[in-house]
Amino acid sequence: MISLKKDEWFSNIRTDVLAGVVVGLALIPESIAFSAIAGVDPQVGLYASFCIAVTIAFFGGRTAMISAATGAMALLMITLVKEHGLQYLLAATVLTGMIQIIAGYFKVAKLMRFVSQSVVYGFLNALAILIFVAQLPEISQMDLSGYLFLVLGLAVIYLFPYLPKIGKAIPSPLVCIIVLSLLALLLGSDMRTVSDLGQFPDTLPIFLIPNIPLNLDTLLIILPYALTLATVGLLETMMTTTVINEVTQTEGDRHQECRGQGVANIVSGFMGGMAGCAMIGQSIINVSSGARTRLSTLVAGVFLLCLVVFFKDWLAYIPMAALVAIMVMVALTTFNWDSVKNFSKHPKQSNIVMLSVVAIVLATHNLALGVLVGVMLSALFLVNKLESEVKVQSELEGNKRIYVVKGQIFFSSSDKFYQFFNFNESIQSVEIDLTHAHIWDITSVNMLANIVAKFESKNIHVEVIGLNQASSTLIDRVCD
């Protein structure tokens, strides 16, 4: 289960290390913010990000993808922490990991094939907007020098890659951090830095078993939260995997990633951290900086811990404007601009699905809920399309009426299928040709049987022809 393949670790060493450093820095403010959302100390989120990033580097199924504490997961923990405390959260985190490992072995990731491209676009656009909006509180605290640093940071990020030779050798977000930090130091600027975000831990995380009663009552308390956390975590991870696959033009092992997420959350829970999952924003930073192997994920986790525990004084030199500039870049990169540019060219149903996902995510800040609603809307539109494509042509040959059926006959289209037949016509026989149709379920089998029975009740002979093997087998099984 642990991946130690050389090409997955050391095929891109320099770029992966530098990208990991950038991500490690960017994880600090988000980990602290997510801890605040969940109602726990900052060290819980920081420990979680370290443990999950390091563990997933070895056990994950998608190289260069970043996993850590996330906002979607933090939102689900609020009630548990408020009503039962941190120890129950740690226990729920461990149970979440166990559920995810089981889901991985049962290959639950196959369900991702039900997620349409419109849902993915909606997911990306909503996430991009959330990432940008999350920077507004920090931007609102900036003075004129802060705004200038922000603009300069964006200029460095977008223009540095165009420099010959060196532009491609060093990730531009890292250059942004270095340039703005040196500039702030030289100018003696009095602006917010990373060290102003809160209290950082003084020690390394240690192994501990959650201090809770080991009984059925405890299980009944944490199980609902664990199931929800596991579901949301896997859903967000699979969506992030899809996006990173597209960006890097490579494929990851979704089932191994599910199991890896489980192992990472178990480790996090036993090391004093909260549950987490894949982070699309940080993953975009990573791959946009050129990272392609597991080494970048490992470096991000280790560098994060070293910074907040051993080198926290250095954080006083890194202006928040640098990290805000990076996150604005992430938002602009994550947003799918083609979905806006080609809006008028896309089918109306696809646009409705995309806009619905965006609206729900922005209203609830729950990415998983938005995706689930998007999947359901996509399914409803598909069912409606299949229903509308059911056609029946008929012609009269003497005293025989021939009905030629085309399309998919299932629970939704069976009523429409029934209405095509004229039961009051004075004829001797009816031929129902299903060569170009398919019978999908019990509802459609029963509807066909009702049609045949109604004709026969009027002494009209019925012959059904053209059944394919699957439809014939279903009818035989249901009618026996």
Side-chain angles (χ1 to χ4, degrees), residues 97-165:
M98 294 178 180
I99 294 170
Q100 289 177 327
I101 290 175
I102 293 171
Y105 280 109
F106 278 95
K107 299 187 175 181
V108 174
K110 286 183 178 180
L111 295 175
M112 276 302 296
R113 66 180 182 270
F114 296 113
V115 178
S116 68
Q117 197 69 47
S118 300
V119 176
V120 175
Y121 289 161
F123 172 84
L124 289 173
N125 294 346
L127 185 63
I129 294 170
L130 287 178
I131 290 173
F132 181 79
V133 170
Q135 310 312 309
L136 294 181
E138 187 64 41
I139 293 175
S140 66
Q141 298 181 51
M142 292 180 179
D143 54 16
L144 180 59
S145 63
Y147 289 122
L148 292 175
F149 269 64
L150 175 58
V151 173
L152 177 60
L154 288 170
V156 170
I157 289 171
Y158 284 105
L159 297 179
F160 182 79
Y162 291 102
L163 293 179
K165 296 184 179 180

Side-chain angles (χ1 to χ4, degrees), residues 25 28 177-178 180-181 184 191-196 303 307 313-323:
L25 281 166
I28 295 174
I177 292 171
I178 294 172
L180 294 194
S181 298
M191 62 176 63
R192 274 171 56 83
T193 65
V194 177
S195 62
D196 295 323
F303 188 65
L307 272 179
D313 292 340
W314 292 12
L315 300 177
Y317 300 109
I318 302 175
M320 281 301 299
L323 295 186

Side-chain angles (χ1 to χ4, degrees), residues 4 19 24 29 50 61 64-65 76 79 86 100 107 133 140 148 168 193 289 293 313 347 375 401 408 430 436 441 462:
L4 297 175
F50 159 71
M65 191 163 75
L76 303 173
T79 305
L86 174 61
Q100 289 177 327
K107 299 187 175 181
V133 170
S140 66
L148 292 175
K168 300 295 184 182
T193 65
S289 298
T293 73
D313 292 340
V375 169
R401 172 67 69 178
Q408 310 300 315
V430 166
H436 303 291
D441 57 10
V462 180

Side-chain angles (χ1 to χ4, degrees), residues 191-458:
M191 62 176 63
R192 274 171 56 83
T193 65
V194 177
S195 62
D196 295 323
L197 291 172
Q199 186 67 36
F200 295 110
D202 297 312
T203 61
L204 295 172
I206 58 173
F207 178 84
L208 56 87
I209 297 175
N211 185 21
I212 56 170
L214 299 178
N215 53 39
L216 182 60
D217 289 339
T218 299
L219 179 62
L220 293 177
I221 291 171
I222 65 174
L223 182 59
Y225 292 98
L227 286 170
T228 306
L229 287 166
T231 302
V232 171
L234 289 182
L235 184 55
E236 193 162 345
T237 297
M238 292 303 102
M239 291 295 293
T240 304
T241 302
T242 299
V243 173
I244 301 304
N245 285 351
E246 291 181 3
V247 172
T248 62
Q249 295 297 303
T250 58
E251 286 295 322
D253 186 334
R254 296 180 187 273
H255 308 304
Q256 183 179 339
E257 184 63 34
C258 286
R259 297 191 294 270
Q261 290 289 328
V263 174
N265 278 318
I266 290 174
V267 172
S268 178
F270 281 128
M271 300 295 283
M274 55 200 256
C277 62
M279 303 181 74
I280 188 167
Q282 307 301 336
S283 298
I284 290 291
I285 292 176
N286 202 38
V287 297
S288 297
S289 298
R292 290 296 181 271
T293 73
R294 298 176 183 273
L295 183 61
S296 61
T297 309
L298 177 64
V299 169
V302 172
F303 188 65
L304 163 68
L305 187 69
C306 290
L307 272 179
V308 299
V309 175
F310 302 114
F311 306 111
K312 65 182 69 176
D313 292 340
W314 292 12
L315 300 177
Y317 300 109
I318 302 175
M320 281 301 299
L323 295 186
V324 172
I326 292 172
M327 297 312 296
V328 170
M329 177 273 290
V330 171
L332 295 175
T333 304
T334 302
F335 195 91
N336 188 278
W337 298 101
D338 284 341
S339 65
V340 177
K341 184 172 64 176
N342 298 320
F343 189 84
S344 60
K345 299 178 182 179
H346 291 163
K348 181 173 67 176
Q349 294 89 339
S350 296
N351 290 333
I352 291 173
V353 170
M354 182 192 71
L355 293 175
S356 298
V357 173
V358 172
I360 290 170
V361 171
L362 294 182
T364 64
H365 286 209
N366 189 330
L367 291 165
L369 179 61
V371 171
L372 288 173
V373 171
V375 169
M376 288 190 291
L377 278 177
S378 297
L380 288 174
F381 284 132
L382 176 61
V383 167
N384 183 66
K385 182 180 180 181
L386 292 175
E387 180 182 343
S388 66
E389 290 179 349
V390 173
K391 308 291 181 184
V392 177
Q393 298 174 337
S394 69
E395 60 177 294
L396 186 64
E397 292 185 357
N399 286 322
K400 179 180 180 181
R401 172 67 69 178
I402 300 175
Y403 292 95
V404 180
V405 184
K406 296 180 180 180
Q408 310 300 315
I409 314 302
F410 59 108
F411 63 90
S412 179
S413 62
S414 56
D415 282 336
K416 181 180 179 180
F417 172 58
Y418 182 87
Q419 292 168 8
F420 282 114
F421 296 91
N422 183 0
F423 299 102
N424 299 316
E425 190 176 15
S426 297
I427 51 177
Q428 293 182 353
S429 64
V430 166
E431 180 180 284
I432 302 176
D433 186 352
L434 296 171
T435 303
H436 303 291
H438 188 96
I439 304 295
W440 280 102
D441 57 10
I442 295 176
T443 303
S444 51
V445 171
N446 289 336
M447 189 61 73
L448 179 62
N450 290 339
I451 292 169
V452 172
K454 190 160 185 176
F455 275 123
E456 291 181 342
S457 70
K458 297 178 180 292

Side-chain angles (χ1 to χ4, degrees), residues 20-68:
V21 168
V22 175
V23 173
L25 281 166
L27 279 172
I28 295 174
E30 295 206 351
S31 299
I32 294 173
F34 299 149
S35 298
I37 291 173
V40 297
D41 292 335
Q43 73 176 29
V44 177
L46 291 167
Y47 284 165
S49 294
F50 159 71
C51 293
I52 294 172
V54 171
T55 305
I56 207 68
F58 291 95
F59 290 89
R62 167 69 260 183
T63 59
M65 191 163 75
I66 303 297
S67 295

